[in-house]
């Protein structure tokens, strides 16, 4: 019986909106609510089994199990487990308020899809418990945390919730759904019918590692799918196990079976998802990843010990009987045997991705936009797999016939012009910004292909002076890079530029003096064919895109002056030189200098330091008589 007066709580705005969507959902495949509740119960059983390793008193007296209890007369369905349970505070945090970013992101995604609650969204944003409101108009949850005596009762009809103390014979959780009437047109089946429950469990939860019982009958096979011969497991079974494991309702893109042998033996079933989760780049909070089982005991479900961070999108299970049960997570992360497993898994996954890229190109083109930016994080440090990762990198280029057409570095090398010694690239915030860059002009004129890298991580790994198949990756925006096919051509171009600079010395000196607070130098350019000016940096300088990324993260990057390069064949520069020759003190020279600098900034997509001043100078110049 209750020992306190029920407390009435209101849901947060986002939660009310979420529940309203669930209650009025038009989604017809409502059966999956049961998969979500069973998966939650299975997670709770995993946790109590793990906690009992170091606290044996938490181990339930009976068998760990999940029970389905249906009452056709009262139209109720209960999902019972004897797992870890929840305290009152746990209930408020995990069920009552969901004060997490996932709720808001979920609602945004739903709005983007015109209000339709697609099943993949429910699993992707971790709000599966609330899918029960698709089939129930009232939910009662009674839970007791292992090691505590008091239970908590949570009840909701979707407009708020009540909390009160309760009693429960054992630790664990019972979720009771007061079901809506059967409605075949709306996809609402009779979820009190034995045959319906058997069908749903067999389809979605057959691989749960604990018995799921209905009237004492076990409904699931409990077979470890990763330990079965692959010829005995269908593609549908692999897909359903993935959805049970991850709560992601999209099909996985690929699955990989791994058998680790040597100093340690382990088996793994790993999945490459088809869609990136909303929190892929969020470091805080819990994230489902690769689960580790030792002697069939769940140990952990994050990726940090089992996979490098640049493979954190991978999901799956690793199981071994050779590891110790009585270890902490911190010890596992330093364990030599775990490190051997981690190394083997990383190599196998990279091999799978390489096979996908070479043999199933369409599937790899689905993978890259979702996870390519994460994979490239492996190029930031000194990981032994860097050459393997470089083989997997894709990028758009000046040779792409469509924005979605991407090339591998090997493709680029195979198309290089005779005598070309480097792989040329351009970094920018977007592909369209890169395509408009004046730095490309000479390379386009010479017919040299340039790759476009637009992910923030590209700015970091490309700064490390990478090589691929003996070819250096060179930024077209760096000082000294030129679109010359060989050293002799480059030498002649440099000699011509020096000859021109002698006759342009007066103008260049004047511009240097005017812009000395903004640029390191002013010189003539051999890279421009159409634009009047551009800014180039030295090797190691922060690019405009990287400087902007630092600012967005609240960091003020150090000020670095770059060189302003001028196109001596452009009409603006020819006109400006004529003005300087006639009168080296002409006031328009200072205006032109500021405008050329501002135009160079705008051409690379960088913000002007003082837009109002730029506008005033432009107006002043337009008003100046010729």
């Amino acid at each position: 019986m209750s020992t306190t007066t029920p407390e009435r709580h209101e849901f947060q705005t986002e939660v009310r909106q979420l529940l309203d969507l669930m209650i009025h959902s038009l989604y017809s495949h409502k059966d999956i609510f049961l998969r979500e509740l069973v998966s939650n119960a299975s997670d709770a059983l995993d946790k109590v089994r793990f906690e009992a390793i170091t606290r044996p008193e938490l181990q339930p007296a009976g068998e760990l199990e999940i029970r389905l209890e249906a009452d056709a007369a009262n139209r109720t369905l209960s999902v019972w487990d004897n797992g870890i349970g929840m305290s009152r505070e746990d209930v408020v945090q995990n069920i009552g308020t969901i004060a997490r970013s996932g709720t808001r992101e979920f609602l945004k995604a739903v709005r983007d899809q015109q209000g339709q609650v697609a099943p993949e969204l429910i699993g992707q944003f971790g709000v599966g418990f609330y899918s029960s409101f698709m089939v129930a108009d009232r939910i009662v949850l009674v839970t007791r945390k292992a090691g505590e005596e008091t239970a908590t009762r949570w009840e909701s009809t979707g407009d708020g919730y009540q909390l009160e103390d309760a009693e429960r014979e054992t630790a664990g959780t019972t979720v009771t759904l007061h079901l809506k009437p059967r409605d075949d047109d709306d996809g609402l089946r009779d979820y009190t019918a034995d045959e319906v429950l058997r069908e749903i469990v067999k389809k979605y939860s057959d691989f749960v590692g604990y018995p799921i019982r209905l009237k004492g009958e076990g409904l699931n096979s409990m077979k470890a799918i990763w330990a079965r011969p692959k010829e005995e497991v269908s593609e549908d079974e692999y897909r359903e196990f993935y959805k049970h494991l991850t709560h992601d309702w999209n099909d996985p893109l690929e699955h990989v079976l791994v058998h680790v042998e040597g100093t340690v033996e382990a088996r793994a079933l790993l999945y490459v998802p088809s869609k990136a989760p909303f929190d892929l780049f969020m470091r805080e909070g819990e994230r489902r990843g690769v689960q580790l089982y030792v002697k069939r005991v769940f140990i952990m479900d994050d990726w940090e010990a089992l996979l490098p961070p640049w493979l954190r999108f991978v999901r799956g299970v690793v199981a071994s009987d050779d590891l110790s049960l009585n270890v902490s997570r911190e010890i596992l992360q330093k364990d030599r045997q775990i490190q051997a497993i981690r190394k083997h898994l990383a190599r196998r996954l990279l091999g799978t991705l390489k096979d996908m890229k070479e043999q199933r190109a369409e599937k790899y083109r689905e993978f890259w936009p979702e996870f390519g930016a994460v994979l490239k994080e492996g190029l930031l440090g000194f990981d032994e797999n860097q050459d393997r990762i470089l083989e997997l990198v894709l990028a758009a280029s000046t040779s792409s016939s469509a924005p979605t057409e991407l090339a591998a570095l090997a493709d680029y090398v195979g198309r290089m012009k005779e005598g070309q010694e480097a792989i040329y690239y351009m970094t920018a915030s977007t592909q369209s910004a890169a395509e408009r860059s004046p730095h490309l002009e000479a390379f386009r004129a010479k017919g040299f292909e340039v790759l476009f890298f637009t992910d923030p991580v590209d700015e970091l790994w490309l700064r490390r002076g990478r090589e691929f198949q003996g070819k250096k990756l060179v930024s077209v925006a760096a000082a000294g890079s030129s679109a010359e096919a060989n050293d002799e051509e480059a030498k002649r171009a440099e000699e011509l530029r020096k000859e021109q600079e002698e006759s342009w010395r007066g103008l260049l000196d004047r511009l240097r003096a005017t812009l000395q607070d903004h640029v390191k130098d002013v010189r003539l350019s051999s890279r421009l064919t159409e634009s009047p000016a551009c800014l180039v940096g030295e090797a190691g300088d922060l690019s405009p895109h990287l400087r902007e990324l630092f600012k967005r993260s609240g960091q003020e990057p150090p000020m670095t002056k770059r060189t302003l390069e001028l196109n001596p064949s452009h009409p603006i520069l020819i006109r400006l030189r004529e003005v300087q020759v006639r009168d080296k003190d002409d006031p328009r020279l200072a205006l032109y200098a500021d405008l050329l600098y501002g135009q160079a900034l705008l051409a690379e997509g960088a913000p002007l330091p003082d837009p109002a001043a730029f506008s005033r100078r432009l107006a002043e110049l337009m008003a100046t008589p010729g």
Side-chain angles (χ1 to χ4, degrees):
M1 294 180 61
S2 172
T3 59
T4 62
T5 303
E7 298 176 2
R8 175 71 183 176
H9 296 259
E10 295 300 320
F11 282 126
Q12 294 174 323
T13 302
E14 291 89 352
V15 180
R16 287 200 305 272
Q17 294 172 346
L18 171 64
L19 295 184
D20 185 66
L21 284 168
M22 292 298 185
I23 292 167
H24 300 101
S25 170
L26 299 178
Y27 180 61
S28 58
H29 291 80
K30 294 179 168 58
D31 294 356
I32 41 69
F33 82 91
L34 187 54
R35 176 172 70 191
E36 292 301 304
L37 295 182
V38 167
S39 289
N40 290 342
S42 176
D43 290 345
L45 293 170
D46 278 340
K47 289 175 182 175
V48 79
R49 195 176 182 191
F50 176 67
E51 291 293 331
I53 296 173
T54 54
R55 297 180 62 192
E57 70 274 12
L58 299 184
Q59 181 70 37
E63 180 184 18
L64 294 175
E65 63 176 330
I66 301 168
R67 300 178 194 162
L68 305 184
E69 300 168 351
D71 184 336
N74 292 307
R75 298 288 303 153
T76 64
L77 171 65
S78 296
V79 179
W80 180 99
D81 70 68
N82 54 345
I84 195 70
M86 289 180 281
S87 66
R88 189 184 189 92
E89 292 72 25
D90 293 336
V91 172
V92 171
Q93 181 180 358
N94 298 327
I95 305 295
T97 61
I98 24 179
R100 306 170 189 270
S101 59
T103 307
R104 189 171 287 107
E105 294 289 340
F106 172 82
L107 293 169
K108 179 181 181 298
V110 170
R111 285 193 291 270
D112 291 345
Q113 298 199 7
Q114 287 78 49
Q116 294 297 311
V117 185
E120 61 270 16
L121 295 181
I122 298 171
Q124 185 178 4
F125 294 107
V127 293
F129 172 81
Y130 293 90
S131 63
S132 296
F133 278 102
M134 293 192 296
V135 301
D137 49 29
R138 182 161 67 98
I139 299 177
V140 178
L141 178 147
V142 177
T143 184
R144 175 180 155 192
K145 190 165 188 173
E148 297 184 1
E149 296 299 323
T150 303
T152 300
R153 186 179 192 274
W154 178 96
E155 179 177 347
S156 175
T157 56
D159 56 351
Y161 64 96
Q162 286 188 171
L163 272 181
E164 60 183 307
D165 287 349
E167 292 182 356
R168 194 177 193 273
E169 185 176 348
T170 64
T173 301
T174 304
V175 180
T176 300
L177 310 183
H178 292 259
L179 299 166
K180 297 177 181 178
R182 176 175 178 173
D183 185 343
D184 293 333
D185 292 337
D186 194 29
L188 276 169
R189 298 205 282 171
D190 182 2
Y191 297 111
T192 65
D194 291 0
E195 62 275 13
V196 172
L197 297 176
R198 285 195 194 94
E199 176 196 329
I200 296 173
V201 169
K202 189 66 179 175
K203 181 176 182 181
Y204 294 123
S205 306
D206 191 50
F207 314 106
V208 171
Y210 304 96
I212 304 170
R213 293 196 169 100
L214 175 67
K215 299 176 181 177
E217 174 193 355
L219 304 183
N220 58 320
S221 67
M222 295 174 53
K223 292 181 180 178
I225 190 172
W226 57 87
R228 293 163 56 187
K230 61 181 181 180
E231 59 271 12
E232 293 183 9
V233 185
S234 69
E235 288 299 317
D236 283 344
E237 288 175 307
Y238 280 126
R239 283 194 292 266
E240 288 307 325
F241 179 71
Y242 167 79
K243 293 173 182 178
H244 155 71
L245 186 73
T246 64
H247 297 252
D248 179 2
W249 295 358
N250 294 290
D251 288 336
L253 194 64
E254 190 92 348
H255 73 264
V256 188
L257 284 166
V258 185
H259 187 192
V260 181
E261 297 179 291
T263 57
V264 60
E265 184 167 343
R267 291 185 179 273
L269 173 56
L270 305 176
Y271 292 91
V272 178
S274 57
K275 296 293 180 183
F278 77 96
D279 59 351
L280 186 60
F281 293 98
M282 297 180 186
R283 295 291 184 171
E284 70 280 359
E286 296 182 3
R287 182 185 293 114
R288 288 176 179 270
V290 175
Q291 297 184 355
L292 175 63
Y293 284 83
V294 176
K295 300 178 177 68
R296 298 207 65 181
V297 175
F298 168 76
I299 302 298
M300 61 181 180
D301 65 354
D302 61 22
W303 48 263
E304 293 178 284
L306 296 167
L307 289 175
W310 44 270
L311 286 173
R312 63 181 178 273
F313 54 85
V314 173
R315 302 291 183 262
V317 169
V318 176
S320 175
D321 291 337
D322 293 346
L323 302 173
S324 171
L325 278 173
N326 194 23
V327 292
S328 68
R329 183 168 306 198
E330 291 72 25
I331 292 175
L332 271 176
Q333 290 177 353
K334 299 174 183 177
D335 186 274
R336 286 187 179 182
Q337 292 179 314
I338 285 289
Q339 293 304 310
I341 293 173
R342 172 186 165 118
K343 185 175 181 178
H344 190 97
L345 296 182
R347 285 192 175 186
R348 183 61 187 278
L349 284 164
L350 289 175
T352 298
L353 292 175
K354 183 180 179 181
D355 289 344
M356 188 191 301
K357 173 177 158 290
E358 294 175 352
Q359 301 172 20
R360 301 179 295 284
E362 286 188 17
K363 184 176 284 190
Y364 194 75
R365 283 195 292 270
E366 293 179 44
F367 162 83
W368 187 256
E370 299 291 330
F371 304 109
V374 177
L375 193 66
K376 286 184 288 188
E377 290 178 13
L379 299 171
L380 295 177
F382 300 94
D383 194 285
E384 64 179 358
N385 292 297
Q386 292 198 4
D387 288 343
R388 295 183 179 90
I389 298 173
L390 274 174
E391 290 180 342
L392 298 172
V393 169
L394 298 184
S397 82
T398 50
S399 296
S400 301
S401 58
T404 56
E405 184 181 335
L406 304 176
L409 295 180
D411 299 330
Y412 181 102
V413 171
R415 294 195 292 259
M416 285 174 61
K417 293 175 69 71
E418 185 176 353
Q420 182 181 343
E421 295 298 325
I423 297 171
Y424 296 116
Y425 71 85
M426 177 81 196
T427 61
S429 56
T430 63
Q431 182 176 334
S432 59
E435 290 172 334
R436 294 193 301 267
S437 172
H439 293 103
L440 297 178
E441 292 172 4
F443 292 86
R444 279 196 170 115
K446 291 280 188 178
F448 289 168
E449 184 177 3
V450 178
L451 297 172
F452 299 138
F453 289 103
T454 57
D455 289 319
V457 69
D458 295 326
E459 293 281 359
L460 301 174
W461 71 267
L462 285 165
R463 289 166 57 83
R464 300 183 63 88
R466 297 289 176 193
E467 287 191 8
F468 180 77
Q469 294 184 1
K471 306 290 184 181
K472 289 185 177 180
L473 275 74
V474 175
S475 170
V476 299
S481 67
S482 62
E484 308 301 336
N486 54 56
D487 291 342
E488 193 61 36
E489 283 189 35
K491 184 178 179 181
R492 286 199 301 268
E494 182 63 18
E495 290 174 352
L496 176 61
R497 187 179 65 80
K498 288 181 178 179
E499 291 174 5
Q500 286 180 313
E501 284 201 349
E502 189 62 34
S503 61
W504 285 70
R505 183 180 299 280
L507 177 61
L508 294 176
D509 287 345
R510 177 61 192 274
L511 296 179
R512 288 186 187 110
T514 304
L515 296 173
Q516 60 182 321
D517 292 338
H518 302 291
V519 302
K520 180 191 300 183
D521 192 12
V522 181
R523 68 185 180 203
L524 298 182
S525 175
S526 60
R527 76 180 72 224
L528 297 174
T529 61
E530 300 173 7
S531 300
C534 71
L535 287 160
V536 298
E538 300 296 332
D541 285 354
L542 298 183
S543 70
H545 184 212
L546 187 54
R547 290 181 62 84
E548 186 61 25
L549 291 173
F550 274 121
K551 289 181 178 179
R552 289 180 192 172
S553 66
Q555 304 177 61
E556 187 60 37
M559 182 61 191
T560 304
K561 292 182 181 180
R562 292 181 291 159
T563 297
L564 181 67
E565 289 195 355
L566 306 176
N567 180 0
S569 63
H570 196 281
I572 289 179
L573 272 300
I574 294 172
R575 163 79 172 162
L576 191 57
R577 185 184 177 210
E578 292 172 353
V579 171
Q580 190 273 334
V581 169
R582 286 198 305 268
D583 181 2
K584 61 184 177 58
D585 296 320
D586 192 310
R588 288 176 296 174
L589 293 173
L591 292 175
Y592 271 118
D594 287 336
L595 292 174
L596 280 171
Y597 175 65
Q599 188 176 19
L601 287 172
L602 291 172
E604 65 186 17
L608 294 169
D610 190 344
F614 182 84
S615 179
R616 286 195 303 271
R617 291 186 183 100
L618 185 60
E620 185 179 344
L621 183 65
M622 294 172 68
T624 302

